[in-house]
Amino acid sequence: MLEAKNIHFCINNKPIVDQVSIHLKPGEMTVLLGPNGAGKSTLFRLLSGELLCKQGMVRYNGLPISGLKPKELAHLRAVMPQHSTMTFPFQVIEVVMLGLMLSKKKYPSNTVEEVMKATHTWELKNQLYGNLSGGEKQRVQLARVLCQIWEIKSFPRYLLLDEPTSSMDIAQQHHILEIIGQLKHRNIGILAILHDLNLAANYADNAVLLKNGTVIKQGPIREVMTAENLQRNFDYPIHVETDGPAAPIYVSSLAPNKKSSYTTNFKFA
């Protein structure tokens, strides 16, 4: 289990993450939700090990993150940040293969091909990364990260994703989230920052609502993503409906001075 307990992080004496405690179990997908400036990316960086908290503790499978060497941590978790910059003229396949650099042993020869075909990047393999569109670059970076944890292991591992579908079209968003969801069956826990509430509601198992660096609510999706909780978290009228415990969840928001609602609803099977 990936566990954070009472972690606290300040910038210029201002709390950005304030006494946050969360846990991520292997085999489940948890989403971080909240308005801009809520502290989501800072919390993400603390959980990934990019930042170290001065108060509280982050543990991977019971091991304090502060005691793990970078290579040891890399075998427990893979991280896709919100933005990735490549300054060298790498081909796409070379970028993806960077995900295998920290492997202790040689990976199966088909790992890169499997991952690239799964993420629809195999046909881009010989192109220069810098010539790709934003959505294509995002899929390539995801393929790189997935290579790091693609091989099945006996111990729990974790995948941390900061807005993994923000530059993708709707079809690619669903395709990528389906792939990510399949990783749960490989004893992998997934943590993702998402802004699309409908995608979060219908792909994640759990949600953490963050506001002003504090957890407002966390738990199973259907308990957390209620109209009352979301309105409190985003300070905006939000409507949530579903046809039953196993039916899709619909999330919509009311546009100011409009009688009809502006909705980002999609129906998921």
Side-chain angles (χ1 to χ4, degrees):
M1 183 167 64
L2 168 54
E3 180 184 19
K5 187 173 182 180
N6 298 326
I7 59 174
H8 189 82
F9 187 84
C10 290
I11 297 178
N12 296 327
N13 294 321
K14 178 183 177 181
I16 307 299
V17 173
D18 193 4
Q19 302 298 325
V20 168
S21 296
I22 66 173
H23 61 268
L24 175 64
K25 295 180 180 179
E28 295 182 353
M29 178 176 175
T30 297
V31 288
L32 284 178
L33 304 174
N36 294 336
K40 300 185 299 296
S41 290
T42 300
L43 175 58
F44 181 93
R45 294 168 69 191
L46 290 166
L47 295 174
S48 71
E50 182 182 347
L51 293 176
L52 295 179
C53 53
K54 295 183 179 179
Q55 298 181 35
M57 179 71 73
V58 177
R59 292 185 176 91
Y60 278 83
N61 298 341
L63 303 173
I65 194 172
S66 58
L68 293 170
K69 297 178 181 178
K71 184 172 287 190
E72 293 173 326
L73 187 57
H75 289 296
L76 292 175
R77 63 94 180 95
V79 181
M80 180 179 171
Q82 185 176 354
H83 303 291
S84 299
T85 303
M86 305 292 295
T87 57
F88 295 98
F90 287 127
Q91 289 183 321
V92 166
I93 194 168
E94 293 174 320
V95 175
V96 176
M97 291 179 68
L98 292 173
L100 303 178
M101 286 184 63
L102 294 175
S103 173
K104 289 183 178 179
K105 64 177 183 178
K106 187 176 181 180
Y107 269 67
S109 59
N110 60 342
T111 296
V112 171
E113 183 175 351
E114 281 185 9
V115 172
M116 293 186 73
K117 285 184 175 178
T119 54
H120 294 173
T121 54
W122 182 247
E123 64 275 14
L124 305 172
K125 62 182 181 294
N126 295 321
Q127 294 190 33
L128 289 177
Y129 176 81
N131 293 339
L132 302 181
S133 70
E136 290 171 335
K137 288 179 178 178
Q138 200 165 31
R139 282 187 283 126
V140 170
Q141 290 295 338
L142 178 62
R144 173 186 62 79
V145 171
L146 292 184
C147 274
Q148 187 177 336
I149 59 170
W150 193 253
E151 187 181 15
I152 296 175
K153 301 283 188 179
S154 60
F155 55 88
R157 291 169 298 159
Y158 308 90
L159 176 63
L160 280 60
L161 307 163
D162 191 350
E163 298 187 40
T165 61
S166 59
S167 298
M168 298 180 191
D169 61 44
I170 187 171
Q172 289 294 347
Q173 287 178 344
H174 288 287
H175 175 72
I176 291 302
L177 286 172
E178 287 173 0
I179 294 172
I180 292 170
Q182 292 171 11
L183 293 174
K184 296 188 296 184
H185 304 296
R186 299 190 178 201
N187 203 22
I188 293 173
I190 300 151
L191 179 74
I193 295 176
L194 293 177
H195 281 293
D196 189 310
L197 298 181
N198 281 288
L199 292 177
N202 290 284
Y203 281 100
D205 302 293
N206 306 293
V208 177
L209 300 184
L210 201 66
K211 183 178 182 180
N212 297 326
T214 301
V215 172
I216 299 299
K217 186 79 173 179
Q218 63 178 308
I221 278 290
R222 290 177 183 271
E223 294 180 11
V224 173
M225 292 193 69
T226 65
E228 180 182 1
N229 290 336
L230 292 175
Q231 181 166 329
R232 177 187 174 198
N233 200 55
F234 289 95
D235 293 322
Y236 198 86
I238 293 177
H239 181 66
V240 179
E241 64 179 61
T242 182
D243 294 330
I249 298 173
Y250 304 88
V251 183
S252 61
S253 57
L254 184 65
N257 303 319
K258 298 290 183 181
K259 294 182 179 180
S260 61
S261 62
Y262 169 74
T263 175
T264 55
N265 291 348
F266 301 102
K267 187 171 183 179
F268 307 128

